[in-house]
């Protein structure tokens, strides 16, 4: 009997350990690290517009801090409070939220802030501010998601201009008038993509009481608003590059981002005819195409400038 009891205890311990491992894996999945790829164009945009040399290893560390720790911590905290059961950004079938997710969010936040401090105290302060603002977006006592205008302004400014400036400050690069214009342009680019990430979640947001911008605008309104923001952003870049005589950069931008316009307008036309096209897969495809195309454009410019192939 004793031996039988020992085997039962051993089986229970293995089962408990397996459940804990599964809980931590689910928590890591809910951090949605790959989803951060959709936000990396701002990082490359900042680097490509720099006219000064910077430390490449520091740039790599800044990229990791922002995209592997800071952004995922924000994603995880949002999931922790929303407890989504349907598709969310980057996850078509999200696992159930657990307490381990909260601990992981705190760990990622701490890692991002400490890592940023090793680079620059000011950079660390900006990372801390970003983490606090991102929590206000989801925290039930504040919950900016219930306020469409306020949440849109906060998200687009912090994921756009604020992050743009954060990258420059972390690398010790000056922020002049031209860089401030580019920072503002990055906000318009984020404003173009942000409502599209909400467009397939209207039912769940409505049931939860969240008044997102996309829900407020409706399907057609969301597409119109996003196209207008994209137009402002791209026009701003082209105008700025033209003023600086960056003809090659304009050509790179137009060629690299042509797939964005093609997919966006095809999706918009199809969605206006049949709202079945408003779904998780099409939304993620739009985000992926936009992010990859813009990133490739800015990386190409960065390489051309860095190796003095142009100018």
């Amino acid at each position: 009997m004793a031996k039988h009891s020992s085997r039962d205890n051993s089986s229970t311990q293995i089962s408990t350990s397996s459940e804990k491992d599964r809980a931590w894996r689910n928590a890591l999945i809910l951090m949605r690290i790959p989803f951060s790829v959709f936000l990396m164009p701002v990082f490359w945009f900042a680097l490509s517009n720099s006219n000064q040399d910077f430390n490449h290893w520091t740039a790599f560390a800044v990229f990791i801090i922002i995209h592997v720790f800071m952004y995922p911590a924000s994603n995880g905290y949002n999931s922790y409070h929303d407890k989504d059961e349907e598709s969310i950004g980057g996850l078509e079938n999200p696992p159930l939220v657990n307490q381990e997710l909260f601990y992981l969010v705190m760990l990622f936040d701490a890692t991002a802030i400490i890592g940023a401090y090793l680079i620059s105290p000011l950079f660390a302060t900006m990372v801390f501010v970003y983490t606090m603002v991102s929590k206000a977006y989801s925290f039930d006592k504040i919950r900016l998601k219930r306020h469409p205008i306020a949440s849109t302004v906060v998200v687009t400014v912090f994921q756009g201009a604020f992050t743009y400036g954060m990258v420059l400050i972390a690398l010790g690069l000056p922020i002049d008038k031209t860089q401030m214009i580019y920072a503002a342009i990055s906000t318009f680019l984020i404003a173009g993509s942000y409502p599209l990430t909400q467009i397939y979640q209207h039912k769940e947001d409505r049931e939860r009481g969240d008044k997102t911008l996309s829900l407020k605008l409706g399907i057609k309104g969301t597409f119109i608003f996003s196209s207008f923001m994209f137009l402002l952003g791209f026009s701003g870049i082209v105008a700025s590059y033209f003023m600086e005589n960056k003809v090659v950069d304009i050509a790179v931008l137009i060629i690299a981002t042509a797939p964005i316009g093609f997919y966006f307008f095809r999706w918009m036309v199809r969605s206006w005819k049949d709202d079945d096209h408003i779904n998780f897969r099409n939304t993620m495809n739009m985000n992926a195409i936009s992010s990859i195309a813009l990133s490739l454009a800015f990386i190409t410019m960065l390489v051309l400038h860095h190796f003095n192939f142009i100018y």
Side-chain angles (χ1 to χ4, degrees), residues 39-47 71 159-160 163-164 167 186 190:
L39 296 172
M40 71 177 182
V42 173
F43 174 85
W44 297 116
F45 188 41
L47 292 191
Y71 283 152
Q159 290 184 354
T163 298
Y164 186 100
V167 172
S186 68
I190 295 295

Side-chain angles (χ1 to χ4, degrees), residues 55-111:
N55 186 287
H56 296 171
W57 286 110
T58 301
F60 176 74
V62 171
F63 182 90
I64 296 299
I65 288 168
I66 292 175
H67 298 85
V68 177
F69 293 102
M70 188 184 80
Y71 283 152
S74 176
N75 296 336
Y77 192 80
N78 185 49
S79 292
Y80 181 77
H81 279 278
D82 285 1
K83 294 178 172 54
D84 298 284
E85 295 181 1
E86 298 182 13
S87 301
I88 54 176
L91 290 177
E92 187 168 9
N93 299 297
L96 294 177
V97 170
N98 53 43
Q99 190 60 33
E100 283 78 5
L101 176 59
F102 179 81
Y103 300 141
L104 207 54
V105 166
M106 295 299 105
L107 176 62
F108 272 49
D109 275 339
T111 302

Side-chain angles (χ1 to χ4, degrees), residues 108-129:
F108 272 49
D109 275 339
T111 302
I113 294 168
I114 293 171
Y117 185 81
L118 295 176
I119 294 174
S120 160
L122 181 54
F123 178 38
T125 301
M126 295 183 77
V127 170
F128 174 77
V129 170

Side-chain angles (χ1 to χ4, degrees), residues 26-309:
N26 287 343
L28 186 60
I29 289 171
L30 286 167
M31 299 295 281
R32 290 179 279 158
I33 295 176
F35 190 65
S36 298
V37 171
F38 294 158
L39 296 172
M40 71 177 182
V42 173
F43 174 85
W44 297 116
F45 188 41
L47 292 191
S48 69
N49 290 323
S50 172
N51 296 320
Q52 297 186 18
D53 290 333
F54 53 85
N55 186 287
H56 296 171
W57 286 110
T58 301
F60 176 74
V62 171
F63 182 90
I64 296 299
I65 288 168
I66 292 175
H67 298 85
V68 177
F69 293 102
M70 188 184 80
Y71 283 152
S74 176
N75 296 336
Y77 192 80
N78 185 49
S79 292
Y80 181 77
H81 279 278
D82 285 1
K83 294 178 172 54
D84 298 284
E85 295 181 1
E86 298 182 13
S87 301
I88 54 176
L91 290 177
E92 187 168 9
N93 299 297
L96 294 177
V97 170
N98 53 43
Q99 190 60 33
E100 283 78 5
L101 176 59
F102 179 81
Y103 300 141
L104 207 54
V105 166
M106 295 299 105
L107 176 62
F108 272 49
D109 275 339
T111 302
I113 294 168
I114 293 171
Y117 185 81
L118 295 176
I119 294 174
S120 160
L122 181 54
F123 178 38
T125 301
M126 295 183 77
V127 170
F128 174 77
V129 170
Y130 185 98
T131 62
M132 291 298 100
V133 171
S134 69
K135 286 173 176 52
Y137 180 77
S138 307
F139 184 52
D140 54 2
K141 295 295 188 295
I142 302 174
R143 197 131 179 111
L144 291 176
K145 288 181 74 172
R146 295 196 182 104
H147 309 281
I149 305 301
S151 62
T152 300
V153 171
V154 168
V155 168
T156 56
V157 168
F158 273 83
Q159 290 184 354
F162 188 84
T163 298
Y164 186 100
M166 185 161 51
V167 172
L168 296 181
I169 287 171
L171 296 176
L173 299 171
I175 301 179
D176 53 22
K177 182 179 179 180
T178 301
Q179 294 291 8
M180 291 177 69
I181 292 174
Y182 285 136
I185 289 172
S186 68
T187 297
F188 286 118
L189 294 178
I190 295 295
S193 61
Y194 173 65
L196 293 176
T197 64
Q198 306 166 331
I199 198 169
Y200 68 96
Q201 295 178 307
H202 287 184
K203 179 177 178 292
E204 192 170 5
D205 287 332
R206 189 182 294 109
E207 291 174 351
R208 195 163 44 212
D210 291 334
K211 299 176 182 178
T212 63
L213 180 64
S214 180
L215 183 60
K216 190 84 171 175
L217 293 172
I219 300 299
K220 288 189 177 181
T222 297
F223 278 109
I224 293 171
F225 177 86
S226 291
S227 60
F228 182 64
M229 290 296 106
F230 278 134
L231 180 62
L232 284 178
F234 284 117
S235 299
I237 296 175
V238 171
S240 298
Y241 285 171
F242 183 79
M243 295 292 290
E244 296 180 56
N245 198 32
K246 294 182 176 180
V247 180
V248 175
D249 286 358
I250 294 174
V252 169
L253 183 70
I254 292 173
I255 294 170
T257 59
I260 300 176
F262 175 77
Y263 186 90
F264 177 83
F265 285 107
R266 187 183 68 167
W267 184 32
M268 179 176 68
V269 170
R270 289 181 175 180
S271 298
W272 285 5
K273 293 179 180 178
D274 183 359
D275 58 13
D276 283 344
H277 291 284
I278 304 296
N279 54 51
F280 171 83
R281 291 183 182 276
N282 285 337
T283 302
M284 291 305 105
N285 286 340
M286 179 70 235
N287 278 279
I289 292 170
S290 176
S291 171
I292 293 171
L294 281 172
S295 294
L296 285 176
F298 298 139
I299 290 172
T300 301
M301 295 173 199
L302 177 62
V303 171
L304 291 176
H305 297 168
H306 184 76
F307 291 102
N308 296 317
F309 291 139

Side-chain angles (χ1 to χ4, degrees), residues 1-12:
M1 292 291 292
K3 289 183 179 180
H4 180 72
S5 176
S6 176
R7 285 197 298 269
D8 286 346
N9 290 337
S10 177
S11 298
T12 301

